[in-house]
Amino acid sequence: MGESHDDNKISTDTWKDVAATDPANAGPARPSATRGSRRRHGAATHARARARRGLILSAAVTLAATLLGATPANASDCRLKYFYNYDGSPAWPSMQVASTASCSLAPAIARFNGGTTIAATSADAATFHTYVNPDGWSSWYLNDAYGPVAFANLGAPALTPYSEGTEMAFPFAQALLYFWEPGGQPLVFDQGSSLWSPAFSQSAPAMARTSTATEIAATTTDNSLWFFWNIDGSQGWGSRQIAGPSLAYGTPAITADDNSTEIAYIAPDASLWFYWNINGTATWHPEEISGPGTVWGGVAMTHSDGGIQIAAPGPGGSIMFFWAADGTTTWHPEQVAGPGTMQGAPAMVAGNYTMEIAVTATDGSLRYYWSYDGTPTWHGAQIAPPGTASTSPAMTRSNGGTEIAVAGP
C-alpha cells in the first residue's frame, strides 16, 4: 500500500502479496461511514505558538550500531507476528516476521514511504532488531540489529515515521538510545544519540514527529515523567521534567503537531493524567482524566477530528476509552469491553472515520475493537485465536488498512 493515507478509499488491489489463512471468528466488516464526530466541533482551541524551545541538553554519546547475526532460538523465544486488514473486510491475513523475539516486551510498528518497519527486542533482551516489509513483498527481512550484546537489559522499543524512514528509541540500562533508519535501509553508521540523564526506567518510551522535530516522552526510575525534543539537523536534545517524582510510571503516550504536544500517562495510584503544551512555551497544563484506582498498565493516544482520544486498561482487565474536544477539559469515558477482556496495554489508531483498538486478551488471543466517530457503540472481533499473543500489540495505519504487530508462542 502507498503512503498517501487516503482513508476514504478502500483498497482493492494486492496490498501484501501473501497466501494466508483468515482466522476464525474474524467478526463483522468495518465499512466506510459518514463522519459524525462524537467530539464537539467549534470548541475553543489551545492558543497556538510555533517558537521552538531552545536546546538545553546535549546528546551524551554518539553510538555505533552493529549488524549482528540471527540470535539462536531458545525456550524463551516467541515468534514475531504481523496481521493486516483492508477497510471493509472481516479478514485479517497474517505473516510470521521472525522466529525469535521477546515474549514479554511489546514490539513497535510504523510506516515509511514504501513499506512497513517492525522493531522488537530479543528474547534475552541483549539485542534490538528492525524488520522491513516493502509494499508488495511476500516476506520480511532483518534490516538491522543493535547491541551491545554483552548486556541483557534492553527495554521495549518505540517507533515513529518521518518522511524518509523511521526513528526509534529504546531503554538500555538507565539510558535512552535513539537511532534512525532511512527508507527501510540500515541506519547510517554512527547516526544515533544516547541520553544518560535522568535515570530512565525500562518501560518503553513514546515518540512523535512534528514537521521539523522529534519528540519523546519517557518515565524514569524515580517515577518522574520527562519530555525530550530534537530539532532536525541538531545533535542536541532539549529536556524538561513534566511530572514527578513519584507521579508517573510505565509507558506514556504522546501526540504532536506544529502547534502543540500532548502526553498521557498513568500515575502510581492508578489514575489517568493528560498534559498539553503550546510549542515554544515551557508551561505544561495538567488534567486528571480519571481518578485513583481506575486504570492500570499502559496507555494509547490519538489526536484526530478536533479531539484527543485515549485508551487504557480499566478495572479487572476491562478496556476503557476517553475523549475530549480540543479546547475543553471535559473528558468522556466509555467502556469498550468488560472485565476479563485484556492484559497488558492496548494499541490504538484513528482509522477510516473510526477509532480502532487492538489488545491481547487474557487467553492470549488477539482482539480488535472499533467504533464509528460520533457513536458510543463499540464492535469487537477476535482476529487470532487463543495462544497467539503474549506481548501487548502495536498498531499503525496505512492507505486503506490497519497493520498490527505482536509476539507470542
Side-chain angles (χ1 to χ4, degrees):
M1 298 195 324
E3 184 67 3
S4 63
H5 296 275
D6 178 7
D7 289 334
N8 294 309
K9 179 181 179 182
I10 296 176
S11 177
T12 57
D13 59 347
T14 300
W15 179 34
K16 299 290 183 185
D17 185 15
V18 296
T21 301
D22 301 334
N25 304 317
R30 181 167 38 85
S32 299
T34 302
R35 181 180 294 274
S37 177
R38 66 166 67 87
R39 295 163 280 284
R40 260 196 303 159
H41 291 284
T45 57
H46 305 153
R48 306 301 193 187
R50 181 54 197 152
R52 265 292 180 180
R53 294 163 284 261
L55 295 177
I56 59 175
L57 176 66
S58 298
V61 180
T62 300
L63 298 178
T66 305
L67 186 60
L68 305 172
T71 305
N74 58 63
S76 62
D77 281 338
C78 276
R79 293 177 292 167
L80 183 60
K81 307 167 187 180
Y82 166 79
F83 299 83
Y84 65 92
N85 169 262
Y86 300 110
D87 290 347
S89 170
W92 286 85
S94 64
M95 285 191 279
Q96 180 172 302
V97 178
S99 59
T100 60
S102 172
C103 293
S104 59
L105 299 174
I109 188 170
R111 289 282 301 172
F112 64 90
N113 189 10
T116 302
T117 296
I118 294 176
T121 308
S122 64
D124 59 4
T127 57
F128 169 80
H129 302 91
T130 63
Y131 303 89
V132 168
N133 175 237
D135 290 340
W137 282 39
S138 59
S139 62
W140 291 78
Y141 64 84
L142 176 64
N143 189 50
D144 249 331
Y146 309 90
V149 294
F151 303 94
N153 55 359
L154 295 177
L159 285 179
T160 192
Y162 73 99
S163 59
E164 299 300 328
T166 52
E167 299 178 77
M168 63 204 72
F170 52 95
F172 162 61
Q174 293 184 351
L176 192 65
L177 309 186
Y178 163 86
F179 295 105
W180 59 269
E181 294 180 343
Q185 301 299 314
L187 65 83
V188 180
F189 192 69
D190 280 345
Q191 293 296 321
S193 300
S194 174
L195 301 174
W196 292 96
S197 179
F200 294 93
S201 72
Q202 287 299 99
S203 299
M207 298 185 75
R209 280 285 305 177
T210 69
S211 63
T212 59
T214 302
E215 302 185 319
I216 298 176
T219 54
T220 59
T221 55
D222 67 354
N223 289 331
S224 296
L225 178 68
W226 284 74
F227 171 69
F228 302 89
W229 70 94
N230 170 258
I231 308 297
D232 291 349
S234 170
Q235 293 297 314
W237 286 85
S239 70
R240 189 170 299 278
Q241 180 177 287
I242 298 174
S246 301
L247 294 179
Y249 84 102
T251 298
I254 187 171
T255 67
D257 59 26
D258 285 351
N259 299 309
S260 63
T261 300
E262 298 156 337
I263 296 174
Y265 69 94
I266 296 176
D269 65 356
S271 58
L272 180 60
W273 286 81
F274 171 79
Y275 275 74
W276 64 270
N277 163 267
I278 301 169
N279 292 346
T281 72
T283 302
W284 286 86
H285 306 274
E287 299 173 18
E288 185 180 49
I289 298 173
S290 62
T294 57
V295 290
W296 289 265
V299 295
M301 181 168 62
T302 64
H303 189 164
S304 65
D305 194 31
I308 308 101
Q309 305 86 29
I310 297 173
S318 59
I319 308 173
M320 294 300 299
F321 175 78
F322 305 86
W323 64 269
D326 284 347
T328 74
T329 58
T330 301
W331 288 89
H332 307 270
E334 298 173 10
Q335 181 174 276
V336 177
T341 301
M342 69 165 293
Q343 57 180 316
M348 184 170 65
V349 293
N352 186 11
Y353 303 151
T354 59
M355 197 57 53
E356 305 177 36
I357 297 173
V359 300
T360 293
T362 52
D363 61 2
S365 61
L366 184 61
R367 297 188 186 179
Y368 167 81
Y369 299 85
W370 60 273
S371 71
Y372 292 126
D373 288 347
T375 74
T377 302
W378 288 87
H379 309 271
Q382 177 179 288
I383 61 178
T388 296
S390 60
T391 70
S392 299
M395 201 174 192
T396 192
R397 283 284 298 178
S398 191
N399 182 30
T402 300
E403 304 177 65
I404 297 174
V406 74

